[in-house]
Amino acid sequence: MIKVSGLKKAYQLGEQKIRALNGVDVDIAEGEFVAVMGSSGSGKSTFMNMVGCLDKPTQGEISLEGERLSDLSVEQLASVRNQKIGFVFQQFNLLARTNALENVMLPLFYSDVDKVEWAGRAKECLEQVGLSDRLSHDPSQLSGGQQQRVAIARAMVNSPRIILADEPTGALDTETGLGVMELFQKLNANGITLMVVTHEPDIAAFAQRQLIFRDGVLISDQRSKPS
Amino acid sequence: MIKVSGLKKAYQLGEQKIRALNGVDVDIAEGEFVAVMGSSGSGKSTFMNMVGCLDKPTQGEISLEGERLSDLSVEQLASVRNQKIGFVFQQFNLLARTNALENVMLPLFYSDVDKVEWAGRAKECLEQVGLSDRLSHDPSQLSGGQQQRVAIARAMVNSPRIILADEPTGALDTETGLGVMELFQKLNANGITLMVVTHEPDIAAFAQRQLIFRDGVLISDQRSKPS
Ligand SMILES: Nc1ncnc2c1ncn2[C@@H]1O[C@H](COP(=O)(O)OP(=O)(O)OP(=O)(O)O)[C@@H](O)[C@H]1O
Ligand SMILES: Nc1ncnc2c1ncn2[C@@H]1O[C@H](COP(=O)(O)OP(=O)(O)OP(=O)(O)O)[C@@H](O)[C@H]1O
Ligand SMILES: [Mg+2]
Ligand SMILES: [Mg+2]
């Protein structure tokens, strides 16, 4: 499903060169549920952005379902992203002055789903994250945790094959966070491949495999029984 | 230091009326360290925004150091906020295309501190949160956790009497988060009054007192020995 080899990413900032990723090799099989951990600044979000076709690596190769990303044009990358991947950003990235329902419908604009079905699908995803009474609120009228749950619903609405979630429970209380992880577990049981960045051990325990980053390299890759 | 009585806040959204706070009474003494907990949407951020002079209550009264906020004009509220309060927002609220040093200097624009001292003070605060090597990065060039630490440094730079921090470790790994809480403990030992919203018990354990919100009211107010 996801094959990463020799992945490097560096940013040039004036004279300073920041090496965010320094050679990452990892294979993720279809239907796996993987947690990504590591200290602040260790390269987790950079790794997810590369796998999620949101940014291009400096070196190395990523293939999704056998397709090498470096062979694709910008338009092809966008189409792979929209068809295959649901993304929950660390900073939510919701559209301002756009209500919850519309934010969740957004990925459907790029899909083949009939326009008539959009509102129904979006409403269903918002129900699954416990927000059926906030459909008409825009982000400034939602709490931090509610905004995060809108971002999670948006990542699910297009029935992606892969969900990449960057600290999806960071703004949620324990109970609400566990509810989201149970939802992810259900999606995973239906065959969706899941990668979740988290720094909370209770959240990582939902995954079958835990990757740990430090200074842009993988220092650990352990399999464990999901709880 | 902070006296809150009969605090209510409601938002009118079309026909829907959202009651975010439904009557909160609490006194916080000078130099106290208080944790604020409760499920997603229970009113924590709304409470902090009211105490932080960022929004006006629908009903009820808040006094800071004996001064009733409802008696103050918009300009006076802004001056109270800038002189007395350091705020760490749940969504960081850093200025885009503005580097870390400048973001941290921002509160000093409204203070009496001599301009010559600004950069030095800001640099010192960024060192205290472990970011002395990221001074020239703007928010888009920082990781989530690094952005949050810039927001924490900004809340400290003006040597406020009160720090209100809304989930200040939400984007940080355990080790980095504990580092921030130790910094807060030091500030509290120097007499600063601290209120920290968190949903992580390890973080709440740093405080002497834990408030718990549910549906816009305080359901618990317990004192405990800080760890
Ligand atoms: N501007 C607004 N307009 C309408 N409703 C709002 C507005 N801001 C907040 N709310 C509602 O008020 C309630 C309380 O929000 P608040 O942000 O205080 O919650 P919170 O306890 O901080 O939650 P979280 O842990 O998710 O950040 C929520 O149900 C939210 O939908
Ligand atoms: N656009 C950029 N320009 C320069 N440096 C960057 C940029 N984006 C990220 N970095 C740097 O790359 C490193 C890795 O960042 P990344 O966002 O991947 O960390 P992270 O593991 O997600 O951290 P966190 O847990 O704090 O979110 C950081 O040190 C950061 O400062
Ligand atoms: Mg990150
Ligand atoms: Mg909040």
Side-chain angles (χ1 to χ4, degrees):
Chain A
M1 190 63 151
I2 302 171
K3 194 172 165 51
V4 175
S5 48
L7 182 63
K8 293 188 178 180
K9 178 72 178 176
Y11 300 99
Q12 192 65 31
L13 218 72
E15 284 101 54
Q16 232 186 337
K17 194 184 187 84
I18 309 281
R19 297 179 199 287
L21 293 174
N22 293 312
V24 179
D25 299 281
V26 71
D27 281 1
I28 316 274
E30 186 163 347
E32 274 203 289
F33 192 154
V34 180
V36 177
M37 305 176 84
S39 60
S40 175
S42 58
K44 302 181 296 295
S45 291
T46 305
F47 173 70
M48 298 279 274
N49 292 346
M50 300 296 139
V51 171
C53 313
L54 289 162
D55 200 351
K56 276 192 171 286
T58 313
Q59 241 186 307
E61 189 56 56
I62 300 175
S63 325
L64 293 182
E65 297 189 308
E67 214 170 6
R68 287 162 57 106
L69 297 188
S70 59
D71 295 343
L72 301 182
S73 70
V74 178
E75 292 73 37
Q76 287 173 313
L77 267 182
S79 128
V80 165
R81 190 173 62 231
N82 289 321
Q83 304 292 333
K84 295 194 167 132
I85 297 171
F87 210 101
V88 182
F89 296 92
Q90 192 168 2
Q91 298 296 323
F92 312 158
N93 291 2
L94 297 178
L95 292 186
R97 286 176 292 287
T98 309
N99 72 31
L101 193 70
E102 291 157 356
N103 263 294
V104 174
M105 287 194 312
L106 208 65
L108 295 171
F109 281 69
Y110 312 107
S111 75
D112 312 329
V113 177
D114 194 316
K115 212 176 158 137
V116 164
E117 290 186 38
W118 288 3
R121 281 207 183 192
K123 217 180 262 180
E124 202 189 306
C125 289
L126 283 163
E127 264 164 41
Q128 286 185 302
V129 295
L131 286 178
S132 36
D133 60 343
R134 291 288 186 267
L135 304 184
S136 61
H137 287 229
D138 71 32
S140 72
Q141 301 168 325
L142 294 168
S143 78
Q146 289 167 340
Q147 289 177 43
Q148 188 160 53
R149 284 183 279 158
V150 172
I152 291 165
R154 179 181 62 182
M156 291 161 36
V157 74
N158 216 356
S159 310
R161 305 179 57 66
I162 304 171
I163 288 184
L164 304 174
D166 198 341
E167 314 249 17
T169 64
L172 301 180
D173 58 277
T174 312
E175 203 181 314
T176 312
L178 292 182
V180 164
M181 294 311 291
E182 275 150 18
L183 185 59
F184 280 166
Q185 239 178 0
K186 247 188 270 163
L187 296 172
N188 180 244
N190 291 339
I192 289 185
T193 308
L194 230 82
M195 287 216 310
V196 173
V197 173
T198 181
H199 52 261
E200 298 189 35
D202 297 350
I203 299 297
F206 277 83
Q208 300 138 351
R209 201 172 157 191
Q210 278 88 18
L211 306 180
I212 301 179
F213 277 80
R214 181 182 296 151
D215 299 329
V217 292
L218 264 183
I219 57 167
S220 165
D221 180 351
Q222 293 194 324
R223 286 171 202 283
S224 67
K225 284 265 164 293
S227 57
Chain B
M1 188 64 154
I2 302 171
K3 196 172 163 48
V4 176
S5 48
L7 182 62
K8 294 190 178 180
K9 178 71 179 178
Y11 299 100
Q12 192 65 34
L13 217 71
E15 286 102 49
Q16 231 186 337
K17 194 184 186 81
I18 308 282
R19 297 178 200 287
L21 293 173
N22 292 313
V24 179
D25 301 279
V26 71
D27 282 2
I28 315 275
E30 186 163 349
E32 273 204 290
F33 193 156
V34 181
V36 177
M37 305 176 84
S39 59
S40 176
S42 58
K44 304 181 295 295
S45 292
T46 305
F47 174 70
M48 298 278 275
N49 292 346
M50 301 294 136
V51 172
C53 313
L54 289 161
D55 200 351
K56 275 190 174 289
T58 312
Q59 243 186 313
E61 191 55 55
I62 299 175
S63 323
L64 294 183
E65 299 189 306
E67 211 171 11
R68 286 162 57 106
L69 297 187
S70 59
D71 296 343
L72 302 182
S73 70
V74 177
E75 291 72 42
Q76 288 171 314
L77 268 183
S79 130
V80 165
R81 190 172 62 232
N82 289 320
Q83 304 292 330
K84 294 193 165 126
I85 298 172
F87 210 100
V88 183
F89 296 92
Q90 192 168 2
Q91 297 295 323
F92 314 158
N93 290 2
L94 297 178
L95 292 187
R97 286 176 289 289
T98 310
N99 72 33
L101 194 70
E102 291 156 357
N103 262 293
V104 173
M105 286 192 320
L106 210 67
L108 295 172
F109 281 73
Y110 312 107
S111 75
D112 313 330
V113 176
D114 193 321
K115 212 173 161 148
V116 163
E117 291 187 35
W118 288 3
R121 280 209 186 190
K123 221 182 258 177
E124 199 189 307
C125 288
L126 282 164
E127 264 162 37
Q128 286 185 303
V129 295
L131 286 177
S132 35
D133 61 344
R134 291 288 185 269
L135 303 184
S136 62
H137 287 229
D138 71 34
S140 72
Q141 301 168 325
L142 294 168
S143 76
Q146 290 167 341
Q147 290 176 43
Q148 187 159 53
R149 283 183 279 159
V150 172
I152 290 165
R154 181 182 60 183
M156 291 161 35
V157 75
N158 217 358
S159 310
R161 305 178 56 66
I162 304 171
I163 288 186
L164 304 175
D166 198 341
E167 313 250 18
T169 63
L172 302 180
D173 58 279
T174 311
E175 202 181 314
T176 312
L178 292 182
V180 163
M181 295 311 290
E182 275 150 21
L183 186 60
F184 279 165
Q185 240 177 0
K186 246 188 275 167
L187 297 171
N188 180 244
N190 291 339
I192 290 185
T193 307
L194 229 81
M195 288 217 311
V196 173
V197 173
T198 182
H199 54 261
E200 299 190 36
D202 298 348
I203 299 297
F206 278 82
Q208 299 139 353
R209 200 171 157 191
Q210 280 87 17
L211 306 180
I212 302 180
F213 277 82
R214 180 180 297 152
D215 300 327
V217 292
L218 265 184
I219 58 167
S220 164
D221 180 352
Q222 294 193 324
R223 286 169 203 283
S224 66
K225 286 265 163 292
S227 56

